[in-house]
Amino acid sequence: MLSVKFIKENPEFVVERLAVKNFDAKELVDAVCAISNRKNEIQQEMDQHKAEMNSISKQIGQLFQQGKAEEANAAKAKTASLKEAIKELEKEFGEKDVELTDKLTQIPNIPHESVPSGKSEDDNEVVTTEGEMPQLCEGAIPHWDLATKYDIIDWELGNKITGAGFPVYKGKGSRLQRALINFFLDEARDAGYMEIMPPLVVNEASGFGTGQLPDKEGQMYHITEDNLYMIPTAEVPVTNIYRDVILDEANLPIKNTAYSACFRREAGSYGKDVRGLNRLHQFDKVEIVQVQHPEKSYETLDQMVAYVTTLVQKLGLPYRILRLCGGDLSFTSALTFDFEVYSAAQEKWLEVSSVSNFEAYQANRLKLRYRPTGEKKPVLAHTLNGSALALPRILAALLENNQTPEGIKVPEVLVPYCGFDMID
RNA sequence: GGAGAGAUGGCAGAGUGGUCGAAUGCGGUGGUCUUGAAAACCAUUGUACCGCGAGGUACCGGGGGUUCGAAUCCCUCUCUCUCCGCCA
């Protein structure tokens, strides 16, 4: 969330910038300022009364020790009204605090100045388009049919065991998944990221820290009996490693990577674009996460984009990079670049990565700070993350683009990882 | 699942109603000494909020209560550990 201080110092700026996200923040910003001001007034009065109370209590203690019980009891009488006043102020203070947090969590992150305005994904800005469009052979078919033809993914079995959106990978399909995971993790390690194997289920505090809760809880599978959530991305556990942490400036940037299965309910997204591997309830992904100095986070974002570029290039997939417009930008992000690969049989661009700078928005929720060298006061760090990469759509594009009458060719970089060069 | 123990500052670990934001040790930082280092010694060392400032307030797992006063007593929740059972 945004800091109260920033909102109070720049209310017009916040409203103006959030308009780019098509978000009318006027009322919320006004409310935050008003509630915060009232809260401060209450605190001043409350603290004053508490100071007096503390002082009287201390005196009473001394009087008792000196054996002056009568005077002590007289002093006690004075405390009743004070006590009552404090209680009331505390109550109102608590209410204002809840209200303030409620309003704050409803205000999205401010978009970076480079974010184009726009309503939907149609307004995203194409930054780069690279790679050769594949020439498909006669009778080319989409990946869901290829997967069945070569018996590497069993859709029906997934339906039987769990339900739609939980495919079963078999034989070379399963091995190719494993190869992709290892390939991505090794690449990330070579790029300086430390590998993490996180829990796949998180508590409420973690969900709040990265911004999934309270608003987007419908997106996650909720284990109500234990009040735990299945992760929609490794971003959640890996970023929450640094919840309530004060880092040394010298330790920045922190670079972590993690493979995880990801679980998404995708409620309300039935219909188009859900065939085959295009949208699943469970999928595999390797994520990269960085914690960086505020002054260096955009430089880091560029580096992360450059890194993801190398991955799609090595896989030989035609890709394009989009700068998300305000309307398509997520609630918590300040700037996001999406990667899409071209899936030739579907004749569709498929999103395989989303690389974002959250600036201090997540950090403020997480209380993730660093201490500038030689200084006393901790400062909020910046967090960034990106998919590197999400597997299903990569697999879809690989299957469709590399199909030949003899079978599906495996990209060279993956051959050492999976141990075969052809799915036939 | 059954029984028990516990949750205190970066860590370890005292503290069972009143100058306790909290002893002590370790660690960290600064300094003295030293050619340099180690050792020793001295000093310092949490976070947040309010206030122009002086300063004030809060925080000893979370929440509630008793009391003039709570780390300390009571209730409640959560979590951790140990033993037994079960089990990859």
Side-chain angles (χ1 to χ4, degrees):
Chain A
M1 55 193 173
L2 300 176
S3 77
V4 178
K5 195 169 172 237
F6 182 82
I7 293 173
K8 285 171 81 172
E9 282 169 1
N10 313 279
E12 297 90 358
F13 176 78
V14 171
V15 172
E16 199 180 296
R17 291 300 303 156
L18 284 177
V20 174
K21 271 192 174 176
N22 306 315
F23 187 91
D24 183 2
K26 183 80 173 76
E27 264 181 49
L28 285 169
V29 165
D30 288 348
V32 164
C33 294
I35 295 166
S36 170
N37 287 338
R38 176 64 191 141
K39 197 182 146 199
N40 289 355
E41 281 173 19
I42 298 167
Q43 185 176 347
Q44 280 173 44
E45 200 180 341
M46 184 175 73
D47 283 358
Q48 209 177 326
H49 288 190
K50 280 183 175 176
E52 201 179 331
M53 191 71 154
N54 287 343
S55 150
I56 294 174
S57 292
K58 206 169 271 187
Q59 284 170 26
I60 291 174
Q62 285 167 352
L63 289 170
F64 271 122
Q65 275 171 358
Q66 291 161 16
K68 300 175 180 169
E70 246 175 72
E71 284 178 53
N73 284 323
K76 271 193 202 179
K78 289 194 290 188
T79 61
S81 61
L82 262 180
K83 212 177 169 181
E84 189 60 32
I86 289 171
K87 203 171 181 182
E88 267 174 45
L89 288 165
E90 268 180 340
K91 184 165 170 265
E92 197 186 347
F93 185 83
E95 286 167 2
K96 293 296 165 200
D97 193 52
V98 170
E99 273 179 55
L100 189 59
T101 306
D102 177 58
K103 299 293 180 196
L104 278 173
T105 52
Q106 289 179 49
I107 300 176
N109 199 2
I110 292 173
H112 185 255
E113 56 185 10
S114 72
V115 170
S117 57
K119 288 200 167 59
S120 71
E121 56 186 288
D122 301 329
D123 301 314
N124 292 338
E125 175 193 320
V126 179
V127 181
T128 315
T129 307
E130 297 245 356
E132 215 173 306
M133 290 306 209
Q135 299 297 313
L136 292 190
C137 55
E138 200 68 28
I141 50 176
H143 72 270
W144 47 86
D145 291 332
L146 286 166
T148 302
K149 178 178 173 188
Y150 293 107
D151 198 23
I152 55 173
I153 299 175
D154 196 323
W155 312 99
E156 292 309 313
L157 207 48
N159 283 341
K160 172 188 172 184
I161 300 170
T162 309
F166 295 90
V168 176
Y169 301 87
K170 293 160 68 177
K172 284 185 174 178
S174 177
R175 291 167 66 187
L176 192 53
Q177 287 286 103
R178 191 154 52 85
L180 280 164
I181 293 163
N182 284 333
F183 169 65
F184 291 144
L185 284 174
D186 284 354
E187 290 288 313
R189 183 197 55 212
D190 291 347
Y193 291 89
M194 185 180 71
E195 186 177 333
I196 303 277
M197 194 176 274
L200 303 182
V201 173
V202 296
N203 59 27
E204 214 171 356
S206 293
F208 179 82
T210 33
Q212 279 71 30
L213 297 174
D215 293 333
K216 285 173 246 347
E217 60 182 323
Q219 174 198 112
M220 291 188 287
Y221 287 100
H222 186 196
I223 302 162
T224 50
E225 191 162 7
D226 300 296
N227 198 25
L228 297 171
Y229 295 85
M230 296 176 78
I231 60 170
T233 157
E235 164 198 347
V236 180
V238 173
T239 309
N240 271 282
I241 292 172
Y242 303 98
R243 173 154 47 85
D244 294 320
V245 165
I246 300 175
L247 296 158
D248 285 335
E249 184 175 13
N251 290 336
L252 299 177
I254 303 269
K255 299 174 75 175
N256 288 337
T257 185
Y259 153 73
S260 84
C262 302
F263 305 90
R264 297 187 182 180
R265 294 186 63 230
E266 301 290 0
S269 71
Y270 299 101
K272 66 176 181 118
D273 293 342
V274 301
R275 278 202 83 173
L277 294 167
N278 287 355
R279 174 170 264 117
L280 300 173
H281 287 306
Q282 179 184 324
F283 64 96
D284 298 288
K285 180 161 64 64
V286 171
E287 184 81 1
I288 51 176
V289 173
Q290 290 210 37
V291 180
Q292 180 58 295
H293 192 286
E295 280 168 20
K296 296 181 187 157
S297 65
Y298 279 97
E299 197 182 306
T300 295
L301 182 65
D302 290 341
Q303 287 164 7
M304 290 169 75
V305 167
Y307 169 71
V308 173
T309 303
T310 64
L311 296 180
V312 286
Q313 283 175 344
K314 285 180 184 182
L315 291 170
L317 294 168
Y319 67 93
R320 62 181 193 183
I321 303 174
L322 309 175
R323 184 193 299 270
L324 294 197
C325 73
D328 206 23
L329 207 57
S330 77
F331 193 79
T332 50
S333 174
L335 179 59
T336 296
F337 291 100
D338 270 8
F339 279 71
E340 295 182 340
V341 297
Y342 193 70
S343 203
Q346 298 184 70
E347 297 179 353
K348 258 187 194 158
W349 289 97
L350 302 178
E351 184 194 329
V352 292
S353 177
S354 197
V355 186
S356 306
N357 186 355
F358 303 98
E359 296 192 6
Y361 195 88
Q362 286 184 332
N364 194 32
R365 290 175 155 237
L366 293 159
K367 298 202 176 18
L368 192 193
R369 292 159 294 171
Y370 72 95
R371 197 185 308 279
T373 310
E375 282 179 45
K376 211 167 180 277
K377 209 167 165 51
V379 178
L380 290 173
H382 280 193
T383 59
L384 306 96
N385 68 49
S387 343
L389 293 161
L391 297 224
R393 293 173 188 162
I394 288 286
L395 184 60
L398 286 178
L399 294 178
E400 294 186 11
N401 296 6
N402 298 341
Q403 60 182 305
T404 70
E406 291 76 41
I408 298 160
K409 282 193 283 191
V410 173
E412 237 173 80
V413 288
L414 294 179
V415 175
Y417 284 95
C418 59
F420 52 86
D421 58 7
M422 201 74 165
I423 297 170
D424 46 21

